[in-house]
């Protein structure tokens, strides 16, 4: 009796396995068909630039799909796909409501200023100047950035009087010479003096720049520059200067661009 029961059980097991596999394949196919394919324009741009799509969402605009993308250096943003077309920027409703702003708040994580500041505090490659016990400001700066130069000029009296402690976090992306100039400043025996020599000759060509590009860039400085770029992205800065500082309430804040002297002084608690 047991002999004859053994084979039907085995046959049933095989049948169940076949049924389970068929069910799995049908479910997989259903899920695959339920997820719409990526817009051809987005896919082509992804292959050319190399970003990662972390989220996909629908929009009220007919045929337009939103994509949250992350680049290799950690920057996150929102772009839109419409078939072969790709675009970015503000997606506005007829009442002027900016949907892109809403999508950014929903899908893009808020910058972790305190976390970035903590990592920067341990960085041995910063260019520091000003009062030792004064309010600290981390400044992400590209040597070829005119606005970074403006901020450098704007803060000279504060630095000389010890009212602030500036930590310049050098990056390089605006021009081909940016990385080499940043590396040269970071490699100097007196980094603050090297930055000053460069800024005092800002915009001048040839030897008038005060310093020359460092080429090739040593591996340790190359790694430090890459890390600075990643921290800049984590802080949510899309351009330079990017300022990271504690306000008078002790909260870390971030700002892109050059604030007025009065506004920055008010936020830092620095008086003229």
């Amino acid at each position: 009796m047991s002999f004859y029961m053994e084979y039907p059980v085995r046959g049933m097991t095989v049948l169940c396995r076949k049924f389970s596999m068929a069910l799995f394949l049908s479910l997989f196919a259903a899920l695959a068909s339920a997820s719409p394919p990526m817009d051809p324009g987005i896919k082509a741009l992804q292959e050319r630039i190399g970003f990662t799509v972390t989220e996909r969402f629908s929009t009220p605009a007919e045929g337009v799909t939103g994509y949250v993308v992350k680049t290799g250096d950690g920057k996150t943003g929102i772009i839109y796909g419409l078939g072969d077309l790709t675009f970015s920027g503000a997606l506005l409703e007829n009442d002027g409501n900016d949907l892109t702003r809403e999508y950014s708040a929903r899908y893009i994580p808020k910058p972790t200023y305190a976390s970035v500041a903590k990592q920067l505090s341990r960085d041995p490659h910063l260019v520091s100047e000003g009062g030792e016990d004064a309010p600290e400001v981390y400044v992400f700066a590209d040597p070829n950035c005119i606005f970074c130069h403006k901020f450098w000029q704007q803060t000279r009296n504060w630095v000389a009087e010890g009212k602030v402690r500036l930590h310049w976090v050098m990056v390089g992306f605006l021009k081909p010479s940016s990385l080499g100039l940043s590396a040269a400043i970071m490699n100097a025996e007196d980094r603050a003096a090297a930055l000053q020599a460069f800024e005092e000759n800002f915009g001048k060509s040839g030897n008038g720049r005060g310093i020359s590009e460092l080429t090739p860039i040593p591996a340790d400085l190359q790694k430090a520059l890459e890390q600075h770029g990643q921290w800049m992205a984590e802080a949510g800065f899309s351009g330079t200067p990017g300022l990271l500082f504690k306000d008078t309430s002790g909260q870390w804040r971030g700002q892109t661009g050059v604030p007025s002297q009065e506004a920055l002084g008010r936020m830092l608690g620095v008086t003229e």
Side-chain angles (χ1 to χ4, degrees):
M1 184 71 175
S2 61
F3 176 82
Y4 290 102
M5 287 294 293
E6 183 179 0
Y7 285 93
V9 170
R10 290 182 178 176
M12 186 177 294
T13 303
V14 172
L15 181 62
C16 288
R17 288 177 178 172
K18 288 182 178 179
F19 177 75
S20 299
M21 182 60 70
L23 179 61
F24 171 77
L25 292 175
S26 63
L27 288 174
F28 180 81
L31 289 173
S33 61
S35 179
M38 188 181 298
D39 284 278
I42 297 290
K43 187 172 180 61
L45 186 64
Q46 182 184 39
E47 291 174 353
R48 187 163 74 249
I49 299 178
F51 56 76
T52 301
V53 175
T54 61
E55 191 82 33
R56 192 188 310 188
F57 56 90
S58 59
T59 74
E62 185 176 355
V64 176
T65 301
Y67 296 84
V68 182
V69 300
K70 186 174 184 179
T71 59
D73 59 3
K75 295 180 180 178
T76 304
I78 289 178
I79 59 177
Y80 300 98
L82 178 59
D84 292 330
L85 301 177
T86 302
F87 60 95
S88 63
L91 185 63
L92 303 178
E93 293 183 297
N94 55 14
D95 61 356
N97 181 46
D98 188 345
L99 289 174
T100 299
R101 185 183 298 274
E102 292 184 3
Y103 296 144
S104 296
R106 185 186 310 171
Y107 295 113
I108 298 179
K110 292 183 179 180
T112 53
Y113 295 137
S115 174
V116 174
K118 184 176 181 179
Q119 295 177 86
L120 284 169
S121 69
R122 299 193 292 260
D123 183 10
H125 298 97
L126 303 181
V127 183
S128 300
E129 57 176 358
E132 291 286 346
D133 299 319
E136 295 181 294
V137 182
Y138 293 100
V139 188
F140 289 90
D142 185 301
N144 288 306
C145 171
I146 182 64
F147 298 105
C148 299
H149 175 62
K150 181 180 179 181
F151 184 75
W152 181 86
Q153 290 179 312
Q154 180 177 295
T155 54
R156 289 309 87 198
N157 287 340
W158 281 1
V159 169
E161 295 169 9
K163 290 185 175 182
V164 294
R165 180 71 170 169
L166 299 183
H167 302 290
W168 297 83
V169 189
M170 305 307 300
V171 296
F173 60 90
L174 285 176
K175 294 183 179 180
S177 62
S178 292
L179 281 174
L181 290 171
S182 283
I185 293 170
M186 292 163 59
N187 193 55
E189 185 174 346
D190 187 337
R191 296 172 187 163
L195 178 63
Q196 179 175 339
F198 177 80
E199 296 294 347
E200 287 178 346
N201 293 276
F202 185 84
K204 297 180 181 179
S205 59
N207 295 329
R209 292 195 297 196
I211 63 171
S212 300
E213 297 174 56
L214 180 62
T215 55
I217 300 175
D220 62 325
L221 294 183
Q222 182 67 47
K223 184 177 180 181
L225 286 165
E226 291 173 359
Q227 182 63 76
H228 289 177
Q230 291 176 13
W231 284 333
M232 180 177 168
E234 287 180 26
F237 299 136
S238 57
T240 51
L243 311 181
L244 191 59
F245 57 90
K246 271 186 179 180
D247 61 19
T248 53
S249 67
Q251 297 297 312
W252 283 102
R253 297 181 57 175
Q255 177 169 331
T256 301
V258 183
S260 69
Q261 191 86 347
E262 180 183 357
L264 182 60
R266 189 166 55 249
M267 289 185 285
L268 294 173
V270 174
T271 57
E272 293 294 338

